[in-house]
Amino acid sequence: MTGRRIAALLAIVIGSVASIVPVAAMAQTDEAAAERAAREIQEARNQANEAAEAFFQAESDLDVLRDEVAGLERETDQLQTIVDRLRRDVESVAVSRFISSGASGIPLLTGIQAPQDQVQAEVFVDVLTNSGADVLDAYDIAQKQLVASQSELADRKRDIEAQQAVFVALQEQAEDEVARLRAFEEERLQDEAVQRALATRIAADRVQLEEQARREAEAAARAIPDPVVGLPTTTLVAPSPTVPGASATNDAGVDAEVDGVTTTPAETAPSTTEVPTNEGASGGTSGGRTGAGGSGSNARPIDTGAGYLDNIICPMPGSAFADTWGAPRSGGRSHQGVDMIAPRGIPIYAVTSGFATFKTNRLGGNAASLLGDNGNRYYYAHLDSYVGESRIVFQGDVIGYNGDTGNARFSTPHLHFEIRPGGGLPTNPYPTVRAAGC
């Protein structure tokens, strides 16, 4: 074998080995790059959520200030009315004396500004000493209260102006962070490896949330005594008389009504009631997946005193949100959902299958109510527009687009999202939205 052929064979062998090694190294590099991109996406989401939290706090502070100003304005108006009435009373008490003394005003009202006011002051002392003391004291107190209220009102209005500037600045910052996040995700989530890496992170986050919820549920169960301890094992229920043709009534004396449908309880009959057993706090099952890459391993929602963890998809991906449950709102209200910031026109999805009803109201604007097949109700507010009419929807169907209708016209385009387990009272949706990978 000639030297040239040997060299050629060596080149083939070396090339083959070289072609194998970079493939493995490239796979590792791609995996590391995907993990790094997923981490960067999560960091961008955290940063956008922090900006959203600061904005929502500023919004809440502004609402509180506006309520305080409204209260102070009412108080000032009432004090002004009282002062005006007392002023007339003072004038009626003193008018004859001031006329007889040749005075043209009341010192308490005009002050001592000229030498002839000494005469008026003497008359005023006479009035105070004789018949007008109580009225004048009341007037003086009311006048001071009015001045103090007017001063506080002016201070609060200046506070509102300052807070409004903070509100606008934080709104711009939050909107910029959301735009940055959406561009970041659009660029990196085209890669399936990044999608898988991010899904793994979301699944791990949900596992932690589920474990935290379980610990809270166990702690709550230990803190609440068993309500059936000490009760007899059987309880006889006496029959209630019924009147033919009459409908059953609730405690208020009227037929019970749920979602516009009048219902009557079944006739009570003698029965033996067994001691109830606790079958868990979640009460039922919830279908659907947990969101992009969610574990989907536990179909049962987790209900605790601190929150509720449902199994749904993200109602509006690419948004920023914060835990604002219970935050003060205008009119003395408290927040009963989670607000999710995104540009106008972003699609909003059915978080589970069920029946979606579209309506408009004063606060929510264009709103949707989704009665899920899992028995829960989900409420969406401030939509810019709907997709279609009230209808059956499947999980992931687009039901509308993000907007600022209703009282959101004073804020920024966002989705107000509520969860009502079993169709009852709302519960904090923040853990669920977070677990859904929003």
Side-chain angles (χ1 to χ4, degrees):
M1 183 178 295
T2 65
R4 181 177 295 177
R5 293 187 62 189
I6 293 174
L9 289 173
L10 287 174
I12 293 173
V13 172
I14 293 173
S16 300
V17 172
S19 64
I20 295 174
V21 174
V23 168
M26 186 178 299
Q28 293 177 355
T29 302
D30 289 346
E31 184 176 347
E35 176 58 33
R36 182 171 61 256
R39 183 177 65 253
E40 291 172 349
I41 289 173
Q42 192 60 58
E43 290 173 353
R45 288 181 176 180
N46 293 340
Q47 189 167 339
N49 289 342
E50 288 174 2
E53 183 177 10
F55 166 73
F56 289 135
Q57 183 62 54
E59 182 179 45
S60 181
D61 293 342
L62 189 58
D63 281 348
V64 170
L65 282 172
R66 284 171 174 162
D67 278 353
E68 289 180 357
V69 164
L72 284 170
E73 287 176 338
R74 289 191 297 269
E75 179 182 336
T76 301
D77 289 342
Q78 292 170 357
L79 284 170
Q80 186 66 64
T81 301
I82 293 172
V83 167
D84 291 342
R85 176 175 57 80
L86 289 173
R87 187 186 188 99
R88 290 192 297 270
D89 292 344
V90 168
E91 290 175 344
S92 66
V93 168
V95 65
S96 61
R97 296 175 182 267
F98 278 93
I99 291 175
S100 63
S101 67
S104 59
I106 303 176
L108 179 62
L109 305 178
T110 62
I112 298 175
Q113 300 174 351
Q116 68 176 19
D117 290 341
Q118 183 62 37
V119 177
Q120 298 178 8
E122 291 173 358
V123 175
F124 168 70
V125 171
D126 182 60
V127 173
L128 179 63
T129 303
N130 292 295
S131 59
D134 291 341
V135 172
L136 291 167
D137 284 345
Y139 173 81
D140 188 38
I141 292 171
Q143 180 74 4
K144 290 177 179 178
Q145 290 177 339
L146 175 60
V147 170
S149 181
Q150 290 172 335
S151 176
E152 186 176 1
L153 178 59
D155 289 342
R156 287 292 177 270
K157 287 184 175 180
R158 285 191 291 270
D159 291 342
I160 282 186
E161 291 179 1
Q163 185 62 29
Q164 183 69 36
V166 173
F167 172 81
V168 171
L170 290 176
Q171 176 180 343
E172 292 176 355
Q173 181 179 349
E175 291 173 347
D176 289 345
E177 287 295 338
V178 170
R180 173 177 171 273
L181 169 64
R182 294 184 62 83
F184 206 78
E185 290 184 341
E186 184 177 358
E187 175 187 351
R188 286 163 173 74
L189 287 179
Q190 299 296 327
D191 190 335
E192 292 184 1
V194 177
Q195 294 177 19
R196 290 192 298 270
L198 184 60
T200 300
R201 282 179 166 271
I202 293 172
D205 188 30
R206 181 178 178 90
V207 169
Q208 293 179 354
L209 288 170
E210 289 179 345
E211 182 58 29
Q212 177 183 351
R214 288 193 185 93
R215 288 197 300 267
E216 291 171 351
E218 291 172 358
R222 289 193 298 268
I224 300 175
D226 190 339
V228 300
V229 171
L231 293 180
T233 56
T234 60
T235 303
L236 295 179
V237 179
S240 60
T242 58
V243 179
S247 63
T249 59
N250 58 19
D251 291 339
V254 296
D255 290 340
E257 186 172 326
V258 179
D259 290 336
V261 179
T262 301
T263 60
T264 57
E267 180 180 350
T268 305
S271 63
T272 301
T273 304
E274 297 181 356
V275 177
T277 58
N278 185 0
E279 296 180 354
S282 61
T285 61
S286 175
R289 59 190 178 91
T290 61
S295 63
S297 59
N298 181 10
R300 294 178 64 87
I302 300 174
D303 189 8
T304 74
Y308 180 86
L309 197 59
D310 202 351
N311 287 281
I312 60 173
I313 64 170
C314 182
M316 188 169 66
S319 57
F321 58 96
D323 190 356
T324 55
W325 176 259
R329 288 293 186 266
S330 60
R333 299 173 296 112
S334 61
H335 198 229
Q336 293 188 327
V338 61
D339 286 340
M340 309 177 71
I341 299 175
R344 184 188 309 277
I346 294 302
I348 294 173
Y349 299 94
V351 295
T352 190
S353 59
F355 191 87
T357 303
F358 302 126
K359 293 183 178 180
T360 300
N361 60 71
R362 182 176 61 86
L363 292 177
N366 295 331
S369 178
L370 172 59
L371 180 58
D373 292 336
N374 55 18
N376 297 339
R377 186 178 292 278
Y378 305 90
Y379 177 71
Y380 306 71
H382 311 313
L383 278 65
D384 187 66
S385 60
Y386 307 124
V387 172
E389 300 177 345
S390 298
R391 66 188 188 281
I392 294 174
V393 295
F394 296 98
Q395 186 182 61
D397 284 354
V398 177
I399 61 174
Y401 297 96
N402 189 44
D404 58 358
T405 56
N407 65 354
R409 65 186 181 277
F410 303 114
S411 183
T412 187
H414 68 272
L415 169 66
H416 172 90
F417 180 69
E418 292 182 13
I419 298 178
R420 297 174 176 261
L425 296 176
T427 190
N428 188 358
Y430 173 78
T432 292
V433 170
R434 177 181 162 190
C438 292

